[in-house]
Amino acid sequence: MSQSIQTASDAPARASRVPLATAGLLIGMLLSVLDQTVVAIALPDIAADLGGMDAIGWIVTSYVLASTTTGALYGRFSDRFGRRAVFVTAVTVFIAGSVLCGVAQSTPQLIAARTLQGIGAGALFVLPTIALSELYPQRLRGRVQGLTGGVFAVASVGGPLAGGAITDAVGWRWIFYINLPLGLLSIAMVAFALRLPRTGGGGRIDVAGSVLLVGATVSLLLVAEWGGHAHAWASPVILGLIGAFAVLLTAFVWWERRAVNPLLPPKLFADPTLRVALPATTLLGALLGGSIVYLPTYLQGAYGMGATQAGLALNPYVVTFMAVSFLAGARVGRSGRYKSSLVAGSLVVVLGFALVSQIGPGTAYAVLALELGVLGVGFGLLMQNLVVVAQNAASPADLAAVTSATLSVRGLGMSLGVASFGSLLTRQLQGGGAQTAEATAAAVPEVLFWGVPVAAALVVLLALLPRSVNRSSI
């Protein structure tokens, strides 16, 4: 009796803390996405200062590898140790890595610090997505997750803008130091305001499954990163990595069927919704990665824009992405009818890639801006609604595992998309001879054309979604 009275009396206090917890979680999410993109614009200055130009790409790759491979693990850790404790620990690791990046005196030191930073960042998109779905009732889940889609869009495109401005003003080291006050603010907000029960009890962490999954993911990402660039596709290194991926993935599936507390319970893949949502999210990630990375390249080459101008020129993409993500999340959250919005979004993405693949030297920016808006509408209908569909298909006990898996495969898809589109761009440039900015701009639309069949495959997958998805408790 006294317990129920205490719980009831505590409810208003907990509710009053929800906005503060939401803000703290979103700041952490912003940091994780920003640091995927903010460094790219500063690489020339970093190379000039530290040297090691031959390994400079690993400053980006090490972060992506670390954050992508650890993302799936944090859901289970937070089930056992609590969302708040794991989030605060992850932000602390991220801050420590950021400080070490700022004081690095050589490229190997910076790469090692970026790896540590990425290990912390692996939690900073996954855990907020899980926690926000638990802080708010299911009817509001689409609207709230729409906010995370807006954060992703702003950070993805705003990263190069922020990186360029900070590097020009105070030097490249401050793109890492700026994470310190923001990270501490996030920790303070979440430590004070986030109150969620632990859902996973005292079950053991699936260490063996985690190691196998990390190994398989790293192998696949290295194939995408090195194939056709550092090593020929038929080279022993690439073939060995492909073989390692196949063996490790097979071993992971075998182990998960026998593990007492599996990292990814096999029963999840018996659900018809998740069998569609997870591969669809991977394709969506590939399309997002390719467009976000290579459209600024086109803008700089075709219109002679600087990095800051190119980032601003992507506003039609970003603004429509944010607006549609929030509005669509609110609408479908009220109705519970996700399938029509997802199929419509994938059809709009097909149209968007078809349009941008036809741009050329004579295309006015106003025309391109409209086409970028089309892509923004399509991705806004898709991105967070796919996450919500996956969450709604999961039981409360499996919510963390499903959310972690969904965001991890999206990150994996983005990495594969960037690498695949990059390989296609390299092939186009090698075939054309000259590798000037103008030649690059001319090649980008031909590369983006390959987004059309990928988006068409996404349409087919989403058409297979069940009409009703609602297993989670409200």
Side-chain angles (χ1 to χ4, degrees):
M1 179 73 174
S2 61
Q3 179 64 38
S4 62
I5 293 173
Q6 183 180 1
T7 302
S9 65
D10 286 347
R14 287 198 302 268
S16 67
R17 292 174 177 172
V18 167
L20 191 61
T22 301
L25 292 166
L26 291 177
I27 290 172
M29 184 179 290
L30 178 70
L31 287 174
S32 74
V33 184
L34 270 177
D35 270 69
Q36 289 185 16
T37 57
V38 73
V39 174
I41 199 72
L43 286 179
D45 290 72
I46 295 173
D49 191 13
L50 301 182
M53 190 65 192
D54 54 337
I56 206 76
W58 279 99
I59 295 172
V60 176
T61 302
S62 59
Y63 179 90
V64 172
L65 281 173
S67 60
T68 302
T69 54
T70 56
L73 315 182
Y74 280 109
R76 283 305 193 200
F77 280 121
S78 68
D79 278 345
R80 181 173 182 183
F81 301 109
R83 312 287 188 232
R84 180 178 57 176
V86 175
F87 181 84
V88 168
T89 301
V91 178
T92 302
V93 171
F94 179 85
I95 289 174
S98 298
V99 173
L100 291 174
C101 286
V103 300
Q105 298 300 310
S106 68
T107 299
Q109 287 180 13
L110 182 56
I111 291 170
R114 284 284 284 172
T115 302
L116 179 64
Q117 194 187 32
I119 290 171
L124 302 190
F125 207 98
V126 170
L127 292 187
T129 306
I130 298 169
L132 289 171
S133 68
E134 295 171 327
L135 284 171
Y136 294 88
Q138 184 173 312
R139 68 181 182 275
L140 297 178
R141 189 174 284 174
R143 177 180 297 178
V144 174
Q145 297 298 349
L147 285 175
T148 69
V151 170
F152 177 88
V154 169
S156 295
V157 178
L161 282 172
I166 293 171
T167 301
D168 289 342
V170 290
W172 64 266
R173 295 181 186 276
W174 282 91
I175 65 177
F176 301 112
Y177 291 146
I178 196 67
N179 292 332
L180 182 58
L182 292 174
L184 290 175
L185 178 61
S186 175
I187 287 175
M189 288 179 168
V190 170
F192 171 76
L194 184 63
R195 297 289 186 272
L196 290 171
R198 299 181 188 180
T199 60
R204 291 181 299 173
I205 300 296
D206 182 13
V207 176
S210 301
V211 171
L212 290 170
L213 181 61
V214 167
T217 305
V218 169
S219 299
L220 181 60
L221 288 174
L222 288 178
V223 169
E225 181 70 26
W226 286 345
H229 296 288
H231 303 278
W233 286 107
S235 68
V237 171
I238 298 301
L239 294 178
L241 286 169
I242 293 173
F245 167 72
V247 170
L248 290 168
L249 182 62
T250 302
F252 173 74
V253 172
W254 176 85
W255 174 258
E256 293 298 278
R257 291 175 175 171
R258 290 156 178 79
V260 176
N261 187 32
L263 182 68
L264 292 177
K267 65 180 180 180
L268 299 181
F269 299 94
D271 186 279
T273 298
L274 294 174
R275 284 204 303 264
V276 172
L278 291 176
T281 301
T282 307
L283 292 182
L284 174 63
L287 293 166
L288 274 168
S291 60
I292 286 171
V293 170
Y294 294 106
L295 281 170
T297 301
Y298 176 81
L299 288 165
Q300 292 179 68
Y303 299 103
M305 295 180 178
T308 302
Q309 288 178 301
L312 291 172
L314 283 176
N315 274 338
Y317 186 143
V318 178
V319 172
T320 53
F321 191 136
M322 291 175 57
V324 173
S325 181
F326 181 75
L327 295 174
R331 188 182 71 81
V332 300
R334 287 193 300 269
S335 67
R337 298 172 183 171
Y338 289 93
K339 183 174 180 177
S340 59
S341 292
L342 290 171
V343 173
S346 58
L347 288 169
V348 173
V349 170
V350 172
L351 174 63
F353 273 95
L355 290 172
V356 296
S357 69
Q358 301 303 310
I359 55 180
T363 303
Y365 170 72
V367 174
L368 177 58
L370 290 173
E371 296 172 352
L372 293 176
V374 172
L375 276 178
V377 169
F379 285 129
L381 287 169
L382 286 170
M383 186 171 153
Q384 292 309 118
N385 281 335
L386 259 178
V387 176
V388 175
V389 163
Q391 290 179 328
N392 286 356
S395 65
D398 292 323
L399 180 65
V402 169
T403 304
S404 298
T406 304
L407 297 181
S408 294
V409 298
R410 188 173 72 195
L412 178 63
M414 289 186 68
S415 300
L416 295 174
V418 171
S420 299
F421 278 53
S423 294
L424 290 168
L425 181 61
T426 300
R427 184 177 301 178
Q428 290 283 348
L429 292 174
Q430 289 174 343
Q435 297 191 18
T436 62
E438 292 76 12
T440 301
V444 167
E446 298 179 38
V447 171
L448 293 176
F449 171 77
W450 290 98
V452 175
V454 176
L458 183 59
V459 174
V460 174
L461 266 178
L462 293 176
L464 299 176
L465 270 177
R467 289 189 176 274
S468 177
V469 182
N470 186 19
R471 281 182 56 190
S472 296
S473 61
I474 297 177

